[in-house]
């Protein structure tokens, strides 16, 4: 479904002013061979009976459907929060599975899977200098990670309630966390 929505969004303008009599099939034919969009069009009876010999195939098709979209599928549960490092080189994704996955923004390669929480990790945030990553979660803990070694700077700090968000001040002099459950809240700056 994600590939189909992307295909329609990328090509909506071309359907409004078609350059050829069958733009839908031509555009689908230009999708990568493994694309679910192309497979659906090739398997349709309308395509096989009317357009198969009329379409122009690329000699150098792209290997992926969306070269500008990075898909990270390392979590065992839903992703709750994402943060891109100020350097733009890494993305950290927190999950309901209690982990933080850090990947390269260029390749999607997993750099580290951080396991410092026991429940959902609700928020992650990089320090302005990209050397620290903070994570907070429903286990009432805040973890601080060294971005070079992916080890914790110190023992996790515990709070009286679940934590929902974390952020650094512009010079990383302070870290602010906020959380709470129905009927109460906690905000801390330290």
């Amino acid at each position: 479904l994600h590939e189909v929505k992307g295909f329609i969004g990328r090509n909506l303008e071309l359907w409004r002013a078609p350059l050829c009599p069958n733009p839908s099939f031509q555009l689908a034919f230009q999708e990568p061979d493994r694309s679910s969009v192309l497979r659906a069009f090739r398997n349709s009876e309308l395509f096989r009976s009317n357009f198969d010999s009329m379409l122009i195939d690329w000699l150098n098709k792209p290997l992926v459907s969306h070269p500008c979209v990075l898909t990270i599928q390392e979590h065992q549960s839903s992703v709750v929060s994402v943060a891109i490092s100020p350097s733009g080189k890494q993305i950290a994704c927190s999950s309901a599975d209690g982990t933080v996955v850090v990947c390269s923004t260029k390749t999607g390669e997993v750099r580290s899977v951080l396991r410092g929480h026991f429940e959902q990790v609700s928020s992650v945030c990089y320090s302005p200098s990209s050397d620290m990553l903070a994570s907070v979660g429903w286990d009432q803990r805040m973890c601080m990670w060294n971005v070079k070694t992916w080890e914790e700077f110190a023992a996790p700090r515990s709070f009286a309630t679940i934590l929902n968000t974390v952020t650094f001040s512009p010079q990383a002099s302070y870290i602010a966390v906020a959380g709470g459950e129905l009927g109460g809240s906690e905000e801390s700056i330290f």
Side-chain angles (χ1 to χ4, degrees):
L1 186 59
H2 177 73
E3 284 184 358
V4 173
K5 285 181 181 178
F7 172 76
I8 292 169
R10 286 190 310 274
N11 298 301
L12 195 55
E13 283 300 313
L14 295 173
W15 281 311
R16 291 188 180 132
L19 302 173
C20 62
N22 49 350
S24 300
F25 289 107
Q26 181 62 56
L27 292 168
F29 204 60
Q30 293 173 189
E31 291 287 300
D33 289 334
R34 292 183 297 231
S35 163
S36 58
V37 172
L38 177 59
R39 287 194 312 265
F41 274 101
R42 277 199 166 139
N43 292 334
S44 74
E45 183 60 37
L46 180 63
F47 173 81
R48 286 193 308 255
S49 61
N50 295 313
F51 300 111
D52 195 15
S53 63
M54 297 170 53
L55 300 177
I56 301 165
D57 199 1
W58 286 23
L59 295 176
N60 57 346
K61 283 186 184 182
L63 297 177
V64 294
S65 296
H66 310 285
C68 295
V69 174
L70 179 64
T71 303
I72 301 166
Q73 299 177 339
E74 301 299 321
H75 288 289
Q76 301 300 312
S77 189
S78 60
V79 172
V80 178
S81 172
V82 296
I84 297 175
S85 66
S87 67
K89 294 179 179 179
Q90 298 175 348
I91 184 168
C93 309
S94 69
S95 174
D97 65 14
T99 64
V100 175
V101 174
V102 181
C103 297
S104 162
T105 53
K106 269 190 172 176
T107 65
E109 175 188 355
V110 175
R111 300 269 170 89
S112 188
V113 177
L114 309 176
R115 302 180 196 285
H117 294 274
F118 305 111
E119 293 185 48
Q120 174 174 303
V121 183
S122 50
S123 182
V124 289
C125 184
Y126 281 94
S127 66
S129 60
S130 297
D131 62 339
M132 291 185 287
L133 178 71
S135 61
V136 297
W138 287 8
D139 57 359
Q140 304 174 345
R141 296 161 43 117
M142 179 183 73
C143 298
M144 296 292 298
W145 306 94
N146 179 326
V147 172
K148 290 184 176 152
T149 64
W150 295 116
E151 294 178 4
E152 289 184 84
F153 272 116
R157 183 169 177 154
S158 295
F159 291 82
T161 188
I162 64 171
L163 299 175
N164 296 319
T165 191
V166 60
T167 190
F168 283 87
S169 65
Q171 288 76 34
S173 309
Y174 301 98
I175 301 169
V177 297
E181 300 177 63
L182 291 175
S185 67
E186 179 175 342
E187 300 82 24
S188 297
I189 300 176
F190 55 94

